[in-house]
Amino acid sequence: MALDEQLLDDPDGLASADPSGSLRALAMAGAQVRMALSATAEAGIQKIVSDGRPRAVVVASLGGSAVVGDVLILLAGSGAPVPVSVRRGLPLPGWVGPLDLVVAVSMSGRAPGPLGLAAEAARRGCRLLTVGAPRSPLAEVSERTGGVHVAVQRSETAAARASRMGLWSLAVPVITVAHELGLTDASREVLERVADRLDAQADKYRPSSDAFVNPAKSLALELSGVVPVVLGDGDVTGVAALRAVSMLARTARVPAMRGALPDDAGDVVATFDGPLAKRPAADLFADPEFDDVPAASPQMRLLLLRDAAPTLDRPDGSWLETSRTADAVRATAEDAGVRVTEIGADPGHPLERLADLVSITDFASVYMALAGGIDPLTSPHVADLRDRTH
């Protein structure tokens, strides 16, 4: 994808190219956190929390909201007092029953997977938390069966109503309930710091900031015309890599692969002598005006997401081994002639570090779409697929 670099440095031009308000939706991420905190408090979650910890938690989310379940699993960690799992569609596992909490997340409140799982959970007498649009089918299921529904604030921009642009609106209620149940340490104070950090990132990546000082625009340019391989160096960055690949595909229309260290190191470095890593030798005698010069195939680029030293959430020092593996992967890539971009998170709570990485890759994906002449919000092929499957 060739990007219009002049457009990237033209705030008015970016605004004209973005009628759905995708950049504005991303800039409101901090506000999403604060509004979601208020909405969660107003929803009466004590109805769910008062009975204490459930036997297990099952999160139903898919599409643009799928990352919500991954974030909860990240925050609960391997030391969670109860198992936390993600389910994308029907049926619920046979063991799920009245002792368990089912969480269904859908921005529109109409996604068949979460809606069906919520209805099934209600029939089995589970505790039920739903997050999505007010007065939606999902809200009706929850309210009719004694569950708790957290209504996502409606927005004036089309992009803000898209689930992938409303990550924090969907995630914060789930994180808050999990904290109240003693499953995570992501308190209200942590979430308020996340909101402040998202505000600071939005200012750094704002449209009026020129590409040479705007890391998100610089990243968009580096990922132009390549096949990104997004690799996280741990738990936080692994979730960030998953989010980045989804945003690159759905927003910028760029196919990408992703992995997490240390497990995927071998799979990633094996591609360094493959066809996408090799740069074809130029024919010095070819005349582009008269000869049929084959178009160069897109080359891969390693996007390495690095975590700040997570000593508090991984006190055993195991992050050192993962960090060394990341250093080795980078050195191997450079020796093989593979281009590398490295992005790091600042220190803080895991959710703050995740917010750092999600923010820059989200903004970069939207800038890639706009500078490539693509509507970040709407894909005609996704619309065709939806029509053919419903």
Side-chain angles (χ1 to χ4, degrees):
M1 176 194 299
L3 301 189
D4 183 347
E5 295 187 33
Q6 289 185 329
L7 180 63
L8 281 179
D9 286 338
D10 179 2
D12 292 335
L14 286 169
S16 297
D18 186 23
S20 62
S22 295
L23 287 172
R24 182 177 179 184
L26 295 182
M28 293 290 291
Q32 285 183 29
V33 174
R34 298 183 185 95
M35 289 189 290
L37 281 169
S38 297
T40 305
E42 294 169 2
I45 61 172
Q46 284 303 316
K47 186 177 181 180
I48 291 176
V49 173
S50 59
D51 289 335
R53 287 177 184 164
R55 179 181 59 178
V57 178
V58 179
V59 182
S61 59
L62 75 165
S65 62
V67 72
V68 172
D70 300 313
V71 171
L72 182 58
I73 291 174
L74 164 69
L75 295 177
S78 58
V82 303
V84 180
S85 61
V86 176
R87 192 77 178 175
R88 308 301 189 198
L90 286 167
L92 274 175
W95 54 264
V96 176
L99 298 178
D100 306 306
L101 170 63
V102 174
V103 179
V105 180
S106 167
M107 178 69 84
S108 68
R110 299 178 180 277
L115 185 57
L117 285 167
E120 178 62 23
R123 284 193 291 270
R124 296 191 194 182
C126 303
R127 276 189 262 179
L128 179 62
L129 170 67
T130 58
V131 183
R135 298 180 296 279
S136 64
L138 186 63
E140 291 174 9
V141 167
S142 189
E143 292 160 1
R144 188 176 65 247
T145 59
V148 172
H149 182 74
V150 180
V152 174
Q153 298 285 342
R154 290 192 176 276
S155 173
E156 68 276 12
T157 65
R161 294 193 293 271
S163 56
R164 67 182 182 277
M165 300 295 183
L167 165 62
W168 301 103
S169 294
L170 298 173
V172 167
V174 180
I175 294 169
T176 301
V177 169
H179 174 70
E180 292 296 320
L181 290 169
L183 306 183
T184 80
D185 66 349
S187 64
R188 183 182 183 93
E189 291 73 21
V190 168
L191 288 165
E192 288 172 347
R193 294 203 307 269
V194 168
D196 291 341
R197 190 172 290 205
L198 289 168
D199 286 344
Q201 299 286 37
D203 183 63
K204 184 191 302 184
Y205 308 141
R206 65 190 184 277
S208 60
S209 173
D210 291 338
F212 73 94
V213 293
N214 185 323
K217 291 182 180 181
S218 297
L219 179 59
L221 291 170
E222 291 179 3
L223 297 182
S224 172
V226 303
V227 177
V229 178
V230 189
L231 187 62
D233 70 349
D235 297 334
V236 170
T237 52
V239 174
L242 184 66
R243 166 72 175 186
V245 165
S246 176
M247 285 293 286
L248 286 168
R250 290 295 296 270
T251 304
R253 317 296 195 266
V254 173
M257 63 176 287
R258 60 97 187 173
L261 295 175
D263 292 352
D264 297 321
D267 290 346
V268 170
V269 301
T271 66
F272 292 169
D273 62 352
L276 295 185
K278 296 177 180 177
R279 300 181 185 181
D283 184 352
L284 298 178
F285 300 100
D287 186 334
E289 187 172 351
F290 297 103
D291 297 338
D292 290 331
V293 180
S297 62
Q299 302 300 297
M300 67 185 295
R301 187 180 193 104
L302 178 63
L303 175 56
L304 187 57
L305 305 182
R306 303 296 297 265
D307 201 358
T311 53
L312 295 180
D313 46 305
R314 294 174 68 181
D316 60 358
S318 59
W319 63 270
L320 284 171
E321 179 182 354
T322 305
S323 183
R324 284 194 293 266
T325 302
D327 291 339
V329 169
R330 174 166 189 154
T332 302
E334 291 171 342
D335 289 347
V338 174
R339 290 167 290 181
V340 181
T341 295
E342 185 171 306
I343 299 172
D346 289 333
H349 186 276
L351 198 58
E352 293 177 90
R353 304 192 318 258
L354 179 66
D356 282 345
L357 299 169
V358 166
S359 184
I360 186 171
T361 51
D362 279 5
F363 270 95
S365 297
V366 171
Y367 281 131
M368 288 179 71
L370 297 177
I374 292 171
D375 180 354
L377 190 62
T378 306
S379 164
H381 301 300
V382 172
D384 286 347
L385 177 64
R386 189 177 295 115
D387 291 342
R388 291 169 175 167
T389 55
H390 289 84

